[in-house]
Amino acid sequence: MEDIFQKFFCGKKILITGHTGFKGSWLTIWLNALGAKIIGFSIDSGDKKGNFRLTNIGDKIYSDIRGNIQNFIEIEKVFKKYQPEIVFHLAALPLVVESYKYPLETWKTNVIGTLNVLECIRKSPSVKVGIIVSSDKCYENTKEGYVYKETDRLGGYDPYSSSKAAVEIALSSWRNSFFKQNNLKSISSVRAGNVIGGGDWAKHRIIPDCVRNIESNKDIIIRSPLSIRPWQFVLEPLRGYMQLVKKMWENPANYNSAWNFGPRTQEIITVKELVEKFIRYYGGGTYQEIINTNNFVESKSLILDCTKIENSIGWLPILNIEEAIKFTAKWYLSYKETNTLDLCLTQLNEYSDLYKKYESNS
């Protein structure tokens, strides 16, 4: 594929934790296609129908490692052996509902796991740039319809959201204590909205639930039809992370910060609207709305202000919500009959072409 990053990533040693997950597998496929030497570290091999397994990308990268991010000795060995130059830390327990079932494990993985990575980055002579993938749910989301900036108060009602707020506090401490005076290292957190795209099979996520129910000839169940989320196609924030890494590499002192990545405000829609649009592009499916009977608290609205990243590195999403859903539906319609790696690379190329067209018109 043609390199929209001007061959910046080619040949660089890049550690990706959580590389077998939904976002991690897309990032692994993309960076591998750009010629990077990927060291992947994950606790398992991901969903059997996810991109990591279906593409066999683990066989094509520099090193594919199984390990637990909670174990400092395990991850430290990886840093010492492979000497990565760039780190993308995505390993996490990422679901609000699951965090209610496994609150302690959520905190151990998300907070202790991140601290382990930060310590390894701090001690590593090779690492120049680190990206800690946080979440838009790190904000204390108490204001209906409020648009959250990076400087807003952190918090979280549920164990997942609160663990991500704790990650941000820990990162701020490590940044100020150890990295601020070191102009050779740059560490940032990235807070993305809800991502959609092919290869996501997580429970309690609306698009995977849609596909599972449609494939089983069942109604899609919508429990919170009017909830609003900042949905965006998975390649949008990943491109932003990669653009940010390039800036951090070139000017380490200027990008040690937290950054929001979300859709344009006019592209934010409700859960019900998302389901209706997905059904249309998928070409079938029915849904029913029911009263949410569980006791899990989840915010009704979450909107991100992305002015900071736009002004600093020029990142903006290039797809509208219709295009994001169309890309997503196409993957799920094609994955059974198509070589999945070819399918992912085709979507990467299509997205890159759209980005280049967007850039030329800007």
Side-chain angles (χ1 to χ4, degrees), residues 49 201 208-220 282 285-286 335-336:
K49 294 197 293 184
W201 296 100
D209 285 349
C210 285
V211 178
R212 277 189 290 264
N213 286 13
I214 293 171
E215 289 185 345
S216 303
N217 294 313
K218 297 178 181 178
D219 283 345
I220 301 161
Y282 193 85
T286 56
Y335 80 97
K336 289 182 179 179

Side-chain angles (χ1 to χ4, degrees), residues 73 125 127 130 179 195 225 282 340:
I73 294 174
V127 177
F179 299 125
V195 293
Y282 193 85
T340 313

Side-chain angles (χ1 to χ4, degrees), residues 278-342:
F278 183 81
I279 287 173
R280 186 169 81 248
Y281 287 115
Y282 193 85
T286 56
Y287 69 87
Q288 59 173 302
E289 302 172 39
I290 66 170
I291 297 173
N292 193 347
T293 56
N294 67 46
N295 295 318
F296 303 149
V297 175
E298 203 169 358
S299 59
K300 297 276 191 295
S301 172
L302 187 51
I303 306 171
L304 295 176
D305 183 329
C306 300
T307 305
K308 179 182 171 186
I309 194 69
E310 178 186 357
N311 291 341
S312 296
I313 70 169
W315 181 88
L316 276 174
I318 61 170
L319 303 181
N320 61 38
I321 189 62
E322 299 281 343
E323 292 167 324
I325 296 170
K326 192 184 298 185
F327 262 98
T328 302
K330 187 174 181 180
W331 190 98
Y332 287 106
L333 284 167
S334 306
Y335 80 97
K336 289 182 179 179
E337 288 79 30
T338 308
N339 178 289
T340 313
L341 182 58
D342 289 344

Side-chain angles (χ1 to χ4, degrees), residues 235-245 261 309 313 315:
L235 298 185
E236 299 272 45
L238 293 184
R239 169 176 59 86
Y241 303 169
M242 292 159 71
Q243 285 180 243
L244 181 59
V245 163
F261 290 88
I309 194 69
I313 70 169
W315 181 88

Side-chain angles (χ1 to χ4, degrees), residues 6-26:
Q6 296 152 345
K7 304 192 182 304
F8 170 79
F9 289 101
C10 186
K12 287 187 172 62
K13 281 190 179 182
I14 301 177
L15 171 63
I16 304 175
T17 71
H19 70 301
T20 65
F22 169 45
K23 285 172 73 175
S25 61
W26 273 106

